[in-house]
Amino acid sequence: MALPVAFFAVFFAWPVAAIVARGLKTDGSWHLGRIADVVTQPDIRHVLWFTTWQALASTALTLLLALPAAYVFARLDFPGKQVLRAVVTVPFVLPTVVVGTAFLALVGHGGLLDELWGVRLDTTVWAILLAHVFFNHAVVVRTVGGLWAQLDPRQEQAARMLGASPLRAWRKITLPALAPAVAAAALMVFLFTFTSFGVVQILGGPAFSTLEVEIYRETSEVFDLATAAVLTLVQFAAVGAILVVHAWTVRRRESALRLVDASVTARRPRGAGQWTVLAGVLLTIALLVVLPLVVLVRRSLDAPGLGYYRALATSGDGTFLVAPLHAVWTSLEYAAAATAIAVLVGGLAAAALARRDAGRLVRGFDALLMLPLGVSAVTVGFGFLIALDEPPLDLRESWILVPLAQALVGAPFVVRTMLPVLRAVDGRLREAAAVLGASPWRVWREVDLPMVRRALLVAAGFAFAVSLGEFGATVFIARPDDPTLPVAVARLLSRPGDLNYGQAMALSTILMVVCAAALLVLERLRTDRTGEF
């Protein structure tokens, strides 16, 4: 736990505390009365209410539409499965501003729905909810599907042989085993929608505002750092309470599971029921995931002769110090470094938390690991600039600052993906290996690692994907001569003109293709056949 605790203390707690102190402390005195003044304002109470209920609604809708997809990817085998799994994950790494723009082209004025049926959903909550499903669909599919694929199906088959109906067998056998993974996925979706920024700002218009949008407005438009600090504390407290409840409920329901090789659990669809589920999932993915991506690609091809793509090779009108295409290689370098950091920190934390004899202090750190997903990225970005600008940690001019910020978001995914599988490993296997003389390192290498290897690859893929698309904190700390893909896209979208908009769509398409290629490679590594455990 030493490295994870030190990492989160230095690169999360310290920057957040620095920015909050800058807002609430003046001339050496704390102005805590400002907290009550802010939270009692009617407009702030409205923001708090909308932030909460839209996050709950988005989470419920995402689970409703994504859990069948998790079943399909875990239990059914069909042509193009690996490619489709990579496509489903692509939306999660797109910058939220691009997600909002793609959905605006679908549901806004002159969008696809407006052209076909005269229906507009922009500036409505439905546009926000659907965009959140598009963005978070992969979280449920990969988090729940990763464990579901390794559950031994013979346990459910045994219940069926004893007379249980398919629904009862699933409810009594499979669902309790999946509960920790479902809870983890629901938590991540809730945190992402609770702190939603780009989607709400573009699709919601002035009628809707989340805490994240309000923090950004108070910071960059009103320049009221004190109010922004109070809202950050409110967000921090709400997320902390949710994580404590989650850690307590999930811990009570976890138990040892029998895990098998994921490659032997998937079968070709059998019967009308499985074919119906597969067709429904494919239709949902086509409408909610693939269609916005198709619109994105089409917009990038509006200029004749791939004009928008050719324009990416030059710095053009001075918007960039380097050609926008340079951001592709920069993002890959940063994402690789961030993934290595996230896997190291998150893997060590998951291994410590998975121990049955872990104390309360260690188990409490489980909830703290998720806080970077629920705290304003604007706050973290500003905090990096304030806290890490003087010795002994003067990192403002160092390239490692961006991967560190990205790893803060990637590490919780590593923990949440690996922890259910690590806790499901039967402790008697470790004890037997130790009795036979194996060292602790060899026990981990021979017992734990083969069972969690696929979960580790999934975790690394998530961390890489999140790093590619991280925008909120990176936009404040990325160097002008080394912008990442999301920063470059946002910079292009902020400037008027069809050329800049077209280049933003082209660069977003490149980001989508790079991510899909990386995820497809990961899928091929993850589905190699190594026999049953």
Side-chain angles (χ1 to χ4, degrees):
M1 291 297 297
L3 181 61
V5 169
F7 178 79
F8 280 91
V10 174
F11 298 111
F12 175 69
W14 185 16
V16 171
I19 192 67
V20 171
R22 182 67 65 91
L24 295 181
K25 193 175 182 180
T26 305
D27 298 328
S29 301
W30 291 91
H31 299 278
L32 300 182
R34 180 64 175 162
I35 298 177
D37 295 338
V38 171
V39 297
T40 55
Q41 296 176 13
D43 55 339
I44 296 298
R45 290 205 305 267
H46 176 74
V47 169
L48 290 172
W49 167 244
F50 174 74
T51 301
T52 303
W53 86 258
Q54 68 82 24
L56 290 171
S58 297
T59 302
L61 188 60
T62 303
L63 289 175
L64 179 65
L65 296 177
L67 282 177
Y71 164 77
V72 165
F73 283 111
R75 292 303 197 201
L76 302 184
D77 189 20
F78 53 91
K81 178 179 175 179
Q82 295 181 17
V83 175
L84 188 61
R85 195 199 305 264
V87 170
V88 166
T89 309
V90 168
F92 187 71
V93 305
L94 292 178
T96 53
V97 290
V98 177
V99 174
T101 304
F103 266 83
L104 195 63
L106 286 176
V107 303
H109 178 68
L112 186 61
L113 292 182
D114 193 13
E115 292 178 358
L116 295 178
W117 298 294
V119 176
R120 290 181 56 187
L121 297 177
D122 57 323
T123 68
T124 69
V125 72
W126 280 108
I128 295 172
L129 296 181
L130 292 176
H132 283 163
V133 174
F134 168 84
F135 189 74
N136 295 293
H137 189 274
V139 176
V140 179
V141 170
R142 287 190 167 267
T143 303
V144 179
L147 179 60
W148 203 337
Q150 289 187 268
L151 293 181
D152 192 344
R154 291 174 294 186
Q155 299 182 37
E156 189 172 327
Q157 293 167 4
R160 293 287 307 280
M161 292 181 63
L162 292 174
S165 64
L167 178 60
R168 186 179 183 186
W170 180 82
R171 184 166 54 88
K172 294 291 186 179
I173 303 297
T174 305
L175 183 58
L178 290 175
V182 173
L187 173 69
M188 286 188 283
V189 173
F190 181 85
L191 290 179
F192 278 120
T193 53
F194 190 81
T195 58
S196 182
F197 172 61
V199 168
V200 177
Q201 190 176 40
I202 293 175
L203 296 177
F208 302 106
S209 179
T210 58
L211 273 174
E212 187 82 359
V213 174
E214 191 65 22
I215 291 172
Y216 177 81
R217 189 181 74 85
E218 297 290 345
T219 302
S220 61
E221 297 178 10
V222 184
F223 304 108
D224 188 349
L225 197 56
T227 299
V230 171
L231 295 179
T232 297
L233 289 177
V234 171
Q235 191 179 63
F236 191 87
V239 171
I242 295 167
L243 294 176
V244 169
V245 173
H246 168 267
W248 181 72
T249 55
V250 170
R251 183 72 181 182
R252 286 169 59 91
R253 301 193 65 177
E254 285 177 337
S255 59
L257 306 173
R258 176 176 172 79
L259 302 181
V260 298
D261 184 2
S263 63
V264 303
T265 61
R267 294 287 185 269
R268 299 284 293 181
R270 300 175 184 175
Q274 290 188 346
W275 281 107
T276 301
V277 172
L278 177 59
V281 167
L282 293 179
L283 180 62
T284 301
I285 292 175
L287 294 178
L288 284 181
V289 177
V290 177
L291 186 58
L293 299 180
V294 171
V295 172
L296 181 66
V297 174
R298 185 184 66 82
R299 291 250 174 151
S300 73
L301 298 174
D302 283 346
L306 300 177
Y308 293 145
Y309 288 90
R310 291 203 308 269
L312 294 176
T314 62
S315 56
D317 57 359
T319 305
F320 295 91
L321 297 179
V322 294
L325 204 59
H326 177 75
V328 176
W329 179 246
T330 300
S331 288
L332 291 176
E333 289 181 322
Y334 285 161
T339 301
I341 298 171
V343 169
L344 176 61
V345 173
L348 289 174
L353 294 169
R355 292 182 62 89
R356 301 290 177 182
D357 58 349
R360 289 186 178 181
L361 184 61
V362 174
R363 292 197 300 268
F365 189 63
D366 186 11
L368 297 179
L369 288 171
M370 298 297 293
L371 284 177
L373 300 183
V375 173
S376 169
V378 175
T379 300
V380 174
F382 274 130
F384 264 56
L385 295 179
I386 292 174
L388 304 178
D389 64 341
E390 58 185 6
L393 278 178
D394 186 3
L395 300 178
R396 291 185 62 175
E397 300 298 326
S398 174
W399 68 271
I400 197 63
L401 196 63
V402 174
L404 287 172
Q406 294 173 343
L408 272 176
V409 182
F413 281 94
V414 176
V415 175
R416 292 267 68 85
T417 304
M418 293 184 61
L419 195 54
V421 179
L422 279 171
R423 283 177 172 167
V425 176
D426 194 338
R428 292 173 296 182
L429 296 176
R430 301 188 185 100
E431 295 170 0
V435 169
L436 293 175
S439 64
W441 165 246
R442 188 175 181 185
V443 170
W444 161 257
R445 182 165 52 88
E446 300 290 345
V447 176
D448 292 78
L449 184 58
M451 292 189 177
V452 303
R453 182 171 58 88
R454 286 181 176 82
L456 181 63
L457 289 173
V458 171
F462 252 137
F464 185 80
V466 169
S467 300
L468 275 178
E470 205 287 321
F471 171 72
T474 305
V475 68
F476 296 103
I477 57 179
R479 296 169 57 179
D481 57 342
D482 277 323
T484 63
L485 279 170
V487 172
V489 169
R491 194 177 299 175
L492 287 167
L493 286 174
S494 66
R495 297 178 65 86
D498 291 337
L499 179 60
N500 286 317
Y501 184 82
Q503 287 185 88
M505 295 299 102
L507 207 57
S508 298
T509 302
I510 293 174
L511 172 60
M512 179 182 68
V513 172
V514 169
C515 175
L519 293 172
L520 187 58
V521 171
L522 177 67
E523 286 301 317
R524 293 190 177 278
L525 291 174
R526 160 179 195 274
T527 54
D528 63 339
R529 300 180 181 273
T530 55
E532 183 174 349
F533 300 125

